Amino acid sequence: MSAATAKTTSPHPKILIAAAGEDDIWQKAMVARLPDADIVTQHENYDPATIDYALLWKQPQGMLKTLSGLKAIFSLGAGVDHVLSTPSLPAEVPVLRLEDAGMADQMVQYHLYAALHFLRDFDIYTRQQAKADWTQHDVARISKYRVGVMGLGALGAAVATAMTQIGFAVSGWSRTMKAIDGITTYAGSETLTEFLGQSDILICMLPRTPETEGVLNSNTLSQLPKNAAIINAARGAMIVEADLLRLLDTGHLRGAFLDVAITEPLPESHPFWDHPKIRVTPHIAAATRIEESVDQIAENIDRITRGETPRGLVDRKTGY
């Protein structure tokens, strides 16, 4: 029997789902995958002390304080900041993130589209269309166009690799050194200036941690080459929005392709909506694929039951 179809060996684990309005969808998928488990949502009656595993996405404040018997906490998205930022998070309970769960291919598609948007001057042509302007521009040579990927985890590495495969000159930056074929890599704060200075397109793939919040600010964005562009599908908190707007308006930055914002949904009055140099999408770069996710969760419950180390274990010190 394959790992994807094997049933958990845990004797009737009790699982709680709190998934920001998608509880029923996750519950249905988990029941199909683990029919012997007792699976409840946050809206049902349950004894908090009996819950073995919590599957969370933007859970209610204070919920974790009541779950005294937890064996593990699963994040139902790519990020884990919604769990780690909880004051009542039990110190001894492992926090597990999803590994890919079908998101890598989607992230690659999104970033290829966004990068080509700038390479082929579609941002300029969109503004020209509004003025009925038929001006043509020379096509940039892709091998001379430098893409910098900030954050080289599983998703960032997939995006960086895809960029090299279609011909971009790619570099990557991360907290610790990574080795990826065909990509020049940098690590640590001491190399950030050099990395930024050769990024005609900067792609942000960083996890949200206290160290990465506001990392793209007036100082760092000014270190990008003049006429550089930004693509952010990680977290809105990475960018100081006022600084981005100022550098777009002064002409240092060419444009921004943004899938995330500090406040979501993006307020109707937000200047991003009608800024001529910004493209906004509503946090759709990559959706969690539920079938693949519940397979990972079930397999990790098996690992925990057997006394093994689960996959996707989050390091609380680094935040990912």
Side-chain angles (χ1 to χ4, degrees):
M1 185 177 293
S2 70
T5 58
K7 302 303 181 184
T8 179
T9 58
S10 180
H12 309 294
K14 187 147 188 175
I15 300 170
L16 171 66
I17 299 172
E22 296 187 345
D23 300 27
D24 294 342
I25 298 172
W26 281 97
Q27 185 182 40
K28 182 179 179 180
M30 287 297 298
V31 167
R33 182 64 177 78
L34 297 175
D36 295 331
D38 185 1
I39 303 170
V40 298
T41 73
Q42 61 183 315
H43 303 297
E44 299 177 67
N45 291 323
Y46 64 91
D47 180 358
T50 66
I51 298 298
D52 297 306
Y53 302 100
L55 280 54
L56 307 178
W57 183 250
K58 299 180 180 179
Q59 72 283 351
Q61 288 293 323
M63 170 178 279
L64 288 174
K65 188 186 303 182
T66 69
L67 306 177
S68 58
L70 282 179
K71 298 175 182 175
I73 298 167
F74 294 86
S75 172
L76 297 181
V80 294
D81 47 285
H82 63 289
V83 176
L84 297 183
S85 62
T86 302
S88 55
L89 178 64
E92 71 283 358
V93 177
V95 177
L96 306 175
R97 56 180 171 78
L98 295 175
E99 294 183 310
D100 187 351
M103 290 180 278
D105 286 347
Q106 298 172 72
M107 277 291 189
V108 164
Q109 294 159 9
Y110 184 92
H111 286 87
L112 287 176
Y113 180 93
L116 292 172
H117 175 78
F118 294 112
L119 173 74
R120 293 302 311 272
D121 293 331
F122 293 141
D123 56 332
I124 298 172
Y125 291 127
T126 297
R127 294 194 291 272
Q128 287 183 189
Q129 180 177 340
K131 301 183 293 183
D133 181 351
W134 191 257
T135 303
Q136 297 177 344
H137 303 275
D138 292 337
V139 177
R141 184 177 297 178
I142 192 169
S143 62
K144 301 295 184 182
Y145 217 88
R146 303 168 299 177
V147 172
V149 179
M150 202 171 184
L152 295 174
L155 298 180
V159 169
T161 298
M163 292 289 169
T164 66
Q165 290 172 344
I166 68 167
F168 282 110
V170 181
S171 60
W173 181 91
S174 53
R175 186 180 65 87
T176 58
M177 183 58 75
K178 306 288 178 62
I180 305 174
D181 288 346
I183 297 167
T184 302
T185 55
Y186 297 85
S189 58
E190 65 276 9
T191 68
L192 184 57
T193 295
E194 182 180 356
F195 164 77
L196 292 171
Q198 58 182 25
S199 298
D200 299 314
I201 297 177
L202 179 67
I203 294 174
C204 181
M205 296 292 292
L206 292 168
R208 181 178 180 177
T209 70
E211 289 71 32
T212 61
E213 288 189 18
V215 66
L216 298 179
N217 50 49
S218 182
N219 177 47
T220 51
L221 293 174
S222 295
Q223 295 175 43
L224 293 168
K226 184 172 174 57
N227 213 35
I230 307 293
I231 303 171
N232 184 22
R235 288 288 186 270
M238 307 302 175
I239 296 179
V240 178
E241 294 179 346
D243 291 352
L244 173 63
L245 288 166
R246 184 164 52 253
L247 286 166
L248 289 169
D249 292 340
T250 60
H252 182 75
L253 294 180
R254 164 184 185 165
F257 211 107
L258 306 175
D259 189 52
V260 289
I262 292 174
T263 301
E264 295 183 8
L266 192 66
E268 291 183 13
S269 60
H270 199 285
F272 281 1
W273 282 118
D274 56 8
H275 196 288
K277 294 184 178 180
I278 295 177
R279 288 288 301 274
V280 172
T281 54
H283 207 143
I284 48 78
T288 302
R289 298 204 185 281
I290 291 181
E291 183 176 351
E292 296 176 39
S293 300
V294 297
D295 278 344
Q296 287 187 34
I297 293 167
E299 289 161 13
N300 266 336
I301 290 175
D302 265 345
R303 289 173 182 270
I304 293 169
T305 302
R306 295 193 299 264
E308 300 173 4
T309 302
R311 297 180 59 180
L313 185 63
V314 173
D315 182 339
R316 297 196 189 194
K317 292 182 180 179
T318 62
Y320 54 88

